[in-house]
Amino acid sequence: MNNPDLKAESKYNKWIVILSVVIPLAVAALFGVNLRKLGFDVAPLTFLPPIYATINGLTAVILMVAFWAIKNKKIKLHENLMKMAIGCSVVFLVMYVAYHMTSDSTPFGGEGAIKYVYFFILITHILLSIVIIPFVLITYVRAITNNFERHKKIARITFPMWLYVAITGVIVYVMISPYYA
């Protein structure tokens, strides 16, 4: 490993693996915990879904503007926007977990073909939201370690996947919002 960029990048690999495993497991575990059902006197945070759906939409816009910025060689703007997109994703995740820890899950009430469309979008959204974690982390690490050729290669995969997750998060919210209590 003579390449200094690869050496700098490799010191982050342990953290990428740990976070890529721990985040989905923690979300899955916390998703199944309802504080109210455990006897805690907490108000259901039912106001959060439109906020975190908006954050998903904002993330999609930020990703598209960041793509435009890098295509137009506005590197510092691209860098700042990508940090903002990561920050939005973290805020989304915290709100999503907080909502599900204090509120009952809402079943989708649509029937017929729309139900299959909803579940296709939901399932692909969930699966890709897990898959995207290591992709975002690897893409980010390659940028901060100045390994821009490898950064560009993985960013071509990361960008459309992350954009899909952000957009489908909004679509899932729009489709299920009529069924909130």
Side-chain angles (χ1 to χ4, degrees):
M1 199 177 286
N2 296 332
N3 185 332
D5 294 337
L6 290 177
K7 190 173 183 183
E9 194 180 306
S10 71
K11 73 178 184 178
Y12 292 99
N13 288 344
K14 175 178 62 175
W15 288 107
I16 291 170
V17 170
I18 290 169
L19 290 171
S20 296
V21 171
V22 168
I23 292 171
L25 288 177
V27 170
L30 293 173
F31 190 86
V33 173
N34 187 310
L35 295 175
R36 293 176 326 125
K37 289 179 181 172
L38 291 174
F40 291 94
D41 186 24
V42 294
L45 302 176
T46 54
F47 63 91
L48 286 178
I51 297 170
Y52 63 66
T54 301
I55 290 171
N56 258 336
L58 180 61
T59 301
V61 170
I62 291 168
L63 290 171
M64 289 185 284
V65 175
F67 180 79
W68 171 86
I70 201 62
K71 289 296 179 190
N72 289 281
K73 306 211 182 316
K74 299 179 183 305
I75 295 167
K76 192 63 181 169
L77 176 61
H78 172 76
E79 179 184 336
N80 289 336
L81 288 167
M82 293 314 299
K83 288 177 183 175
M84 197 181 304
I86 291 170
C88 283
S89 292
V90 170
V91 169
F92 161 82
L93 196 56
V94 169
M95 287 184 177
Y96 179 81
V97 169
Y99 168 75
H100 283 285
M101 288 182 71
T102 63
S103 306
D104 295 328
S105 289
T106 301
F108 183 70
E111 295 180 12
I114 195 70
K115 187 173 187 172
Y116 295 106
V117 170
Y118 171 78
F119 281 109
F120 174 80
I121 294 169
L122 177 65
I123 290 166
T124 58
H125 170 79
I126 291 168
L127 292 175
L128 287 176
S129 71
I130 295 166
V131 171
I132 196 63
I133 295 167
F135 278 88
V136 168
L137 295 173
I138 291 166
T139 306
Y140 182 72
V141 164
R142 288 181 180 176
I144 65 171
T145 57
N146 300 317
N147 197 338
F148 295 116
E149 281 311 307
R150 286 170 45 93
H151 169 78
K152 282 188 235 177
K153 280 183 181 178
I154 196 167
R156 288 185 179 107
I157 300 166
T158 305
F159 169 70
M161 197 179 346
W162 194 0
L163 187 60
Y164 179 86
V165 169
I167 291 170
T168 56
V170 176
I171 293 169
V172 166
Y173 168 74
V174 168
M175 292 181 80
I176 200 164
S177 63
Y179 307 105
Y180 282 125

